Amino acid sequence: MTSLSALLLERTLLLDGGMGTQIMARRPTVDDFGGPALEGCMELLNERRPEWIRDIHAAYLDAGADAVETNTFGANRVVLGEFGIPDRAEELNETAARLAREVAASYDRRRYVIGSVGPGTKLLTLGHIGYEELYASYLAQMRGLLKGGVDAVLIETSQDLGQMKLAVRAAREAMAALALMRPLWVQATVETTGTLLLGTEIQSVITTLEALGIDVLGLNCGTGPDEMRAPLAALAETSPCRISCLPNAGLPVNRDGALVYPLEPEAFAAKVAGLAKAFNLNIVGGCCGTTPDHIRALAGALGSSGITHRTPVLDRSVSSLYLSTPLRQEPRPLIVGERTNANGSRKFRDLLAQDDYDALVEVAKDQQREGAHMLDVCVAYVGRDEAADMEAFLKRAVTQVSLPLMIDSTEVAVIERALRTAPGKCVVNSINFEDGDARARRVLDLCRTYGAAVVGLTIDEGGMAKTSGEKAAVAKRLVDLAVGEYGLDPSDLIIDPLTFTLGSGEEGFRRSALETLEAISAIKAAHPGVLTMLGVSNVSFGLAPAARHVLNALMLYHAVKAGLDLAIFNSAKVIPVAGIPAGQREAAEDLIFDRRREGYDPLKALMALFAGGAPRQEAAATDPDLPVAERLRRDIIQGAKRQILADVDEALATIPPLEIINGILLEGMRVVGERFGAGEMQLPFVLESAEAMKAAVKRIEPHIPKESATTRGRIILATVKGDVHDIGKNLVDIILSNNGYEVVNLGIKQPVEAVLAALEKHGADAIGLSGLLVKSTAVMRDDLNCMAEKGLDIPVILGGAALTRDYVEEQCQAVYPGPVLYAEDAFEGLRHMDRITGIRKEGGDPASLASRPGASAITVISRAGAAVPLTPEGQSSWVRRGLETPEPPFLGVREVQASLEDVFGFLDTFTVIRNRWSFTQGRLSDEAFDAVLSEKAEPLLAAWKARILAEDLLVPRARYGYLPVQARGDELLVYRPDRSAVAAVLPLPRQETGRRLSIADFFHPEASGQFDILPLQLVTLGQKAADLAQALYRDDKYMDYFLFHGLATELTEAFAEFLHARIRRELGIHGKDAPTLRQIFSQGYQGSRYSFGYPACPDLEGNRILLDLLDGGSIGVHISDQAQMDPEYSTSALVAWHPQARYFSI
Amino acid sequence: MGERVKVRFLPEDLLAECPAGTPLQAVADAAGADLTFGCRTGSCGTCRVRVLRGLEHCSAPGREERDYLRGLEAPPDQRLACQFTVQGDVEIEYLGADL
């Protein structure tokens, strides 16, 4: 005999059609029911007119139905109670089941009897009836049906999630008591609105019922087949239960004063059979308005074709009366509101004490408005009845708040009461092993009975787990019990590894946040699917509110990075990490990661930052009582761009304009230069002074007599051929032009011919050449050579990142007869100009400035042995061969999505502040420099971060991919993804001495016959960023230009670092990634990322090949004639996975 | 010209000589040592070296170098080659060569 469940695997089961209409067609009289008081009690007809019921069942079975539903739709205590016969419920159900059973047994082919359980007349969730009363009502019905021999119990025409949960529990209880386990089916009724009667969306029905472990979840009544299409699609896509569908014969229409279901049998059958095929329905039948003819037609339409099995994907979720919320939010975490908690919120507790439930519900609604995804509800209050309070609060909250609930209590009875009152799938907070596992088992029983997820705390008999190891061990025990033994889905177990306050400074808890973060990663890695949660704000308990916000935000940030899925916190108090000033962030992160060191305690640092409220602001108003000349001087030094205009206007009344510039303003700039030189003033503020100077001079210029010579001298300035980097050159321009020099700024990529043409045209006291690339140092020497050949000896000032003083004074000076002067920064350039023009003024020859280098002071005494020999394949024998190539996730190239947050996450803030922004200690004391960093540099960085995010100044886009590759000597042969042909040949130069490395050596040689894998990447911050930098410079916003350019440059690096990290992860070589970002930035990982233009592959032409392979044009990145990428903030790289692949110099 | 000091570069075993007080990066550049520099301002870490001998002959680390190395939790015998001068004989090993 085929079991019902087995049959559902084979084909679509055909159920019967309407019962009520068939009965009414027989026009029952008062007498048929047994008296006026009983008129309309259909269930009594099982007893009084069994032949009618028998005939109706037989008509459906004759029509081809596989199963009939018992005539017990209203046969529960509550409905029968309305006829005064509640106690007959069990008996009537048993009678009805036996009747149907008897008819079914009279057929040769196996027919089934399904026990029909209707919704009754009262809505539990709306408080029409109490839980216990309704439960007793259904329990009696379930017992009768089971005793009468039904093959399955069908809870149908359901409108209320609370009633469905209750009826399922009643059915289970009856089955257990009678030892008659039967399949449990549930059918909801979706209205024409697309939701259940109370507004429940279908997804919430699925989430709630799936958790109860039922066999079939389907739809009946409410609408016709057409209207069921959308909810059936949701079921088919996500529900792991089998699906049933019993529509009405269309939506009823009014015909001559009577409601008529319009679909004729053939039309109905065609539609339902269509749904069965489209959604792989397991059970079909009819509801209101359907007849044996409809079922006969449906039997024909279904034919005998088998069923195709679905592969539903259910996002593990929780649900409320209204909606379903996935536990995995994107972006993480799911926010659990913490204020509906009598232990955590004084307001909530006070309102509870006043029994002000409306106000309590308002607290819940506030959190919903503020972005919480779920509410943690705790009403434990000493001296009050917690279970009664829980029920009273939930009864109001569940209809007024649409968020799913987390039931927070230590009392099993309170948890059970809550799970009965809340209609959706809740989370229970929480279980632990403090007193063994007995209590945890009781709670897990409840989770199974009422369909709930559960939070497990890492607490065992030894107390709260403090180390990551202890936390992971308790987590394993929780998983073994809840998932292994109780069969919860892994994602219905949420582990809270606990975090403790760092605010106490207690030695035993100094590492506690760090341990928690490690535990989150460990749990996520060890138990796939299992979720994690943290009560984040515990970390800052006891600190000042402002400090708490910062610490909470960073703890949350790092926990999410570690893999946290849910976080309990007050969503209104969350501050964006990007908006936290760097000084505060560093102190908070140092506290979280316990980075104490001698003389530095991050806890004290954080407390000091917030002592007396918010961090202090600087006030720098110039004293109006000072003479105007002194005020102007100070305006320059302080970079007071606005104030200086008023002071200039005042000065112009009494002081000749040239005197203002040369005697006062330039004196101010001189002081600025001195302070910069002494390291007392940082470059960004120097630029602010230059902006003030520029503004003042612009104001004065119209007042200067035409014939006056205002310039102290002239310089022609250029970035050399092949180099697009103009920041250094522009800084020199800013400083010189605001110190009285005339600057002819030729721009970037200037061949020596252009420089000489400008010299011819303008005449000049000196030439300034700049360049950032390693290659540019050689270009500068070539340019000097060329100038020497033309017989020039004009002083040349050189500057740039890759230059050194020795290289300039020796190698460069050696090829040129005039002075070649090294300028470490713009102010050294200014000093050179002062010397050159000073000598000239006194009638001297600046050529005398040329140094005459003697023999090099540095000598090589010995160089061990010969260079490392090359292998027969032409590779360095220093490189280990034959390592296993990692497996790429795909072959080819793709665009990859990244957010600005992703990019900021890899920002090397140390390099931004210390290098890009030139904050250096100079002669400042440690304390003074610390103050500069925390009060100036870090707030600047925070402000720029906030501005970039707020104004969307950057548009990060990236492409990357993996291509087959082989090495051939000093080249890489890059193949098409299918290896069908070589797509490009990348020339990679080789060291002449020492290890004799070429990047090609880190890949399998062609001769080996093996293919290696070449990851490639390209990132850009977009044209908008490049345009903004240029606009800032053009508009004389020197400081902003300098800061934005530096930050954007470093963000480009950050983006590349982000993508490189992804590549390592995808290749599975991320195991060697260093634990901290700072170490990652210092190549703390396996392999290397090489960009053209850097020491290992200096020739920019390689960019052309990379861009071609990566199809850079598709994200707007193009290559210039000089092989530079455009827009400016773009960088490409090739990645080597070989462990010996590190940076080296050609 | 004052006292001359010896600088040995490992693992390549290159021995160079220079006046006391010469920046290590100048020695590395001039001698063609297999040692890679990045930013040369003490913030990228490309030129990290281990001082095997003569740590006391290296000029004391400045604030930039101190802060950088502390960020890496580097042991005290590690230095940034672009940030110090040599006052006496030293033996240094380039750390960028292997992970």
Side-chain angles (χ1 to χ4, degrees), chain A residues 749-1011:
Chain A
K749 303 186 293 189
Q750 293 299 312
V752 67
E753 294 77 18
V755 176
L756 296 179
L759 180 63
E760 179 88 4
K761 183 173 169 194
H762 301 282
D765 297 290
I767 288 171
L769 297 178
S770 167
L772 176 133
L773 302 170
V774 175
K775 190 179 95 170
S776 296
T777 62
V779 174
M780 288 177 194
R781 199 173 54 178
D782 293 347
D783 287 356
L784 285 167
N785 240 326
C786 174
M787 288 161 67
E789 281 168 14
K790 302 228 183 277
L792 292 172
D793 64 355
I794 179 173
V796 177
I797 304 173
L798 301 180
L803 278 180
T804 62
R805 192 174 296 278
D806 292 324
Y807 178 81
V808 172
E809 292 177 355
E810 289 162 22
Q811 311 261 348
C812 296
Q813 182 67 80
V815 301
Y816 187 66
V820 181
L821 306 165
Y822 173 71
E824 186 181 20
D825 55 45
F827 283 93
E828 189 169 0
L830 176 61
R831 288 196 295 279
H832 289 321
M833 284 304 285
D834 289 350
R835 280 164 71 199
I836 291 165
T837 52
I839 289 172
R840 206 153 264 159
K841 219 172 177 179
E842 286 161 17
D845 182 1
S848 62
L849 285 169
S851 63
R852 290 286 153 241
S856 173
I858 300 167
T859 49
V860 172
I861 299 175
S862 66
R863 206 183 284 274
V868 164
L870 296 184
T871 64
E873 292 86 27
Q875 295 189 307
S876 167
S877 56
W878 181 81
V879 178
R880 292 192 294 277
R881 295 256 60 93
L883 303 185
E884 194 184 334
T885 310
E887 199 60 39
F890 63 91
L891 287 170
V893 294
R894 298 178 175 171
E895 181 165 1
V896 58
Q897 300 300 320
S899 69
L900 272 179
E901 281 294 337
D902 291 335
V903 176
F904 270 108
F906 277 86
L907 181 64
D908 184 347
T909 53
F910 183 90
T911 296
V912 172
I913 290 174
R914 301 299 191 89
N915 180 311
R916 300 287 176 196
W917 290 0
S918 298
F919 279 90
T920 49
Q921 183 171 23
R923 280 180 235 157
L924 296 178
S925 68
D926 276 356
E927 293 72 30
F929 186 53
D930 283 342
V932 167
L933 290 179
S934 64
E935 287 163 26
K936 293 188 171 163
E938 289 162 7
L940 272 177
L941 182 53
W944 270 101
K945 232 186 229 185
R947 181 172 169 194
I948 285 171
L949 293 173
E951 297 178 24
D952 273 333
L953 297 179
L954 310 179
V955 187
R957 292 188 74 180
R959 288 181 67 79
Y960 83 122
Y962 303 87
L963 292 172
V965 70
Q966 289 179 323
R968 182 162 66 191
D970 303 354
E971 292 171 343
L972 280 180
L973 308 179
V974 187
Y975 290 84
R976 291 191 187 143
D978 61 4
R979 301 180 183 172
S980 62
V982 172
V985 177
L986 267 177
L988 294 160
R990 183 172 298 287
Q991 291 176 312
E992 285 170 9
T993 58
R995 288 175 288 162
R996 298 183 70 189
L997 283 175
S998 157
I999 293 171
D1001 297 349
F1002 300 119
F1003 299 89
H1004 296 317
E1006 188 184 23
S1008 72
Q1010 269 183 287
F1011 283 87

Side-chain angles (χ1 to χ4, degrees), chain A residues 586 595 597 801-804 806 855-864 878 880 908 910-911 914-915 919-922 925-927 929-930 933 991 993-995 997 1072 1076 1078-1087 1095 1139-1140 1142-1145, chain B residues 1 4-8 11-19 22-23 25-46 48 62-74 94-99:
Chain A
E586 187 175 331
R595 296 190 192 122
R597 50 184 186 266
L803 278 180
T804 62
D806 292 324
S856 173
I858 300 167
T859 49
V860 172
I861 299 175
S862 66
R863 206 183 284 274
W878 181 81
R880 292 192 294 277
D908 184 347
F910 183 90
T911 296
R914 301 299 191 89
N915 180 311
F919 279 90
T920 49
Q921 183 171 23
S925 68
D926 276 356
E927 293 72 30
F929 186 53
D930 283 342
L933 290 179
Q991 291 176 312
T993 58
R995 288 175 288 162
L997 283 175
K1072 293 209 180 138
T1076 72
R1078 291 236 31 85
Q1079 291 164 336
I1080 294 264
F1081 297 147
S1082 176
Q1083 282 202 96
Y1085 44 70
Q1086 176 175 332
Q1140 285 177 296
R1142 316 302 287 160
Y1143 294 148
F1144 60 94
S1145 293
Chain B
M1 201 178 287
R4 287 181 72 78
V5 302
K6 292 191 174 65
V7 181
R8 185 180 297 278
E12 59 186 310
D13 200 9
L14 163 68
L15 185 63
E17 199 180 53
C18 67
T22 305
Q25 63 168 326
V27 185
D29 283 345
D34 189 359
L35 197 163
T36 303
F37 292 94
C39 70
R40 293 183 192 260
T41 62
S43 64
C44 80
T46 306
R48 195 146 53 110
R63 176 68 186 251
E64 274 67 44
E65 187 183 356
R66 264 200 331 266
D67 286 356
Y68 181 84
L69 292 172
R70 197 182 56 209
L72 284 187
E73 296 160 22
Y94 181 45
L95 287 177
D98 214 336
L99 181 62

Side-chain angles (χ1 to χ4, degrees), chain A residues 5-13 242-244 275-284 302-310:
Chain A
S5 296
L7 187 66
L8 294 184
L9 292 173
E10 289 169 15
R11 62 178 174 89
T12 302
L13 186 92
R242 309 213 177 282
I243 305 175
S244 62
L275 293 175
K277 193 164 189 315
F279 301 111
N280 298 310
L281 303 179
N282 305 86
I283 299 162
V284 295
L302 284 174
S304 57
S305 59
I307 194 160
T308 310
H309 294 286
R310 296 172 295 124

